[in-house]
Amino acid sequence: MERPAWAPRSIDISVPSVSRIYDHYLGGSHNFEVDRQAARKAMEFMPGLPKISQANRAFMRRAVRYAADEGVTQFLDIGSGIPTFGNVHEVAQAVSPGARVVYVDHDPVAVAHSQAVLAGNTDADVVAADLRKPREILGSPQVERLIDLERPVALLLVAVLHFVEDADDPFAAVAELTAALAPGSLLLLTHASYEGIPLPPERAGGALDVYKDIRNPLIMRSRDEIARFFEGYDMVEPGLVPMPHWRPDTAPEDEDPWALSGFAGVGRRA
């Protein structure tokens, strides 16, 4: 397999990556055939995965605009993935020029592409780190340079927590991040769930097996379990809802049924 010029030498291009599979769902070009094969296999069980991914990105853009309109000028996007059209810094800086953004991901391709996209943007940077190690994120030079933790921050955990197994205690990681944030900070979150998926859970389980096979299990949680991540936050209306129902730009009833899979919400730290 020939290595594309954009692929860091340090990565194994024979192993699928969650970030690159997601890039494929979104119609991106920074993925390998091994990623496309895994995506196609998952879509045999859940053909609506691209629609779910698109709804996720659309929520992210709406929520970032909301945060910027509320006067938040600092954004910490953990599990940011490979840059695509309408990135956090593009949305935030369009509303609030000078808004500061730090992306965080542990995928070398995602980090390398973020660095390329952000070249020359002194108000945005990227950290190679893992959600499961909040101290490394918060203590990174990039966060220390761009994020003032004494002022409100928009913390984005978009389509990432469902890749953290219960054994790694994602609730503790979110609580540790929350403890570092100033009052008035916002939590922008999406999470996969069996609730809302337009097919039986046992059928959807076939797609989950694909992620298990590539050693990145996808953990489906209930709405009540997802709501636990918002402890310490007051929910912003309309609360924790299917992604298209969160402050939609268009009538949510016009959405593809697959887009209603999983949940999205925004909370404000008291």
Side-chain angles (χ1 to χ4, degrees):
M1 183 186 303
E2 185 176 350
R3 180 182 297 271
W6 52 262
R9 302 297 303 179
S10 59
I11 69 167
D12 184 349
I13 63 175
S14 68
V15 177
S17 151
V18 165
S19 292
R20 299 194 305 267
I21 291 171
Y22 186 67
D23 179 66
H24 176 66
Y25 291 150
L26 291 170
S29 59
H30 294 105
N31 49 76
F32 308 132
E33 180 56 28
V34 68
D35 305 304
R36 296 187 286 274
Q37 288 175 354
R40 288 193 291 267
K41 189 172 181 181
M43 288 167 61
E44 289 177 8
F45 300 95
M46 291 180 62
L49 282 166
K51 288 292 183 183
I52 297 172
S53 301
Q54 291 161 17
N56 185 78
R57 289 291 295 187
F59 160 79
M60 182 274 288
R61 290 191 287 269
R62 295 195 307 276
V64 168
R65 282 199 303 270
Y66 168 81
D69 286 340
E70 289 289 298
V72 176
T73 59
Q74 306 185 106
F75 297 80
L76 181 58
D77 184 2
I78 302 178
S80 50
I82 294 171
T84 59
F85 174 75
N87 294 307
V88 172
H89 72 280
E90 294 171 328
V91 177
Q93 292 173 355
V95 176
S96 179
R100 297 187 165 194
V101 179
V102 176
Y103 295 104
V104 180
D105 209 287
H106 63 75
D107 185 316
V109 171
V111 173
H113 276 285
S114 296
Q115 290 170 335
V117 167
L118 298 174
N121 189 331
T122 58
D123 292 321
D125 210 338
V126 59
V127 178
D130 193 308
L131 167 62
R132 292 168 293 189
K133 298 178 180 179
R135 291 182 187 177
E136 291 185 9
I137 296 171
L138 296 169
S140 67
Q142 297 91 331
V143 169
E144 291 183 348
R145 179 176 74 86
L146 288 173
I147 305 294
D148 178 0
L149 294 173
E150 299 299 315
R151 297 192 299 111
V153 175
L155 170 63
L156 284 83
L157 298 173
V158 176
V160 63
L161 286 165
H162 48 233
F163 289 112
V164 183
E165 298 181 77
D166 289 342
D168 290 321
D169 202 348
F171 298 99
V174 174
E176 187 170 347
L177 289 165
T178 295
L181 301 181
S185 293
L186 298 173
L187 173 59
L188 287 53
L189 182 152
T190 65
H191 198 296
S193 177
Y194 283 123
E195 297 174 41
I197 291 180
L199 82 177
E202 57 271 18
R203 176 69 177 172
L208 271 61
D209 288 340
V210 174
Y211 285 92
K212 189 181 299 181
D213 289 344
I214 65 172
R215 298 182 181 179
N216 278 282
L218 179 58
I219 312 301
M220 302 294 233
R221 294 188 172 97
S222 69
R223 185 183 182 281
D224 287 345
E225 289 174 315
I226 297 166
R228 283 183 55 200
F229 288 114
F230 286 97
E231 289 183 3
Y233 294 86
D234 297 324
M235 294 302 296
V236 171
E237 289 294 332
L240 187 61
V241 294
M243 292 178 288
H245 289 183
W246 197 90
R247 300 183 177 234
D249 295 326
T250 58
E253 57 267 23
D254 295 335
E255 288 284 351
D256 185 294
W258 280 99
L260 303 175
S261 306
F263 293 96
V266 174
R268 179 178 283 106
R269 191 170 185 218

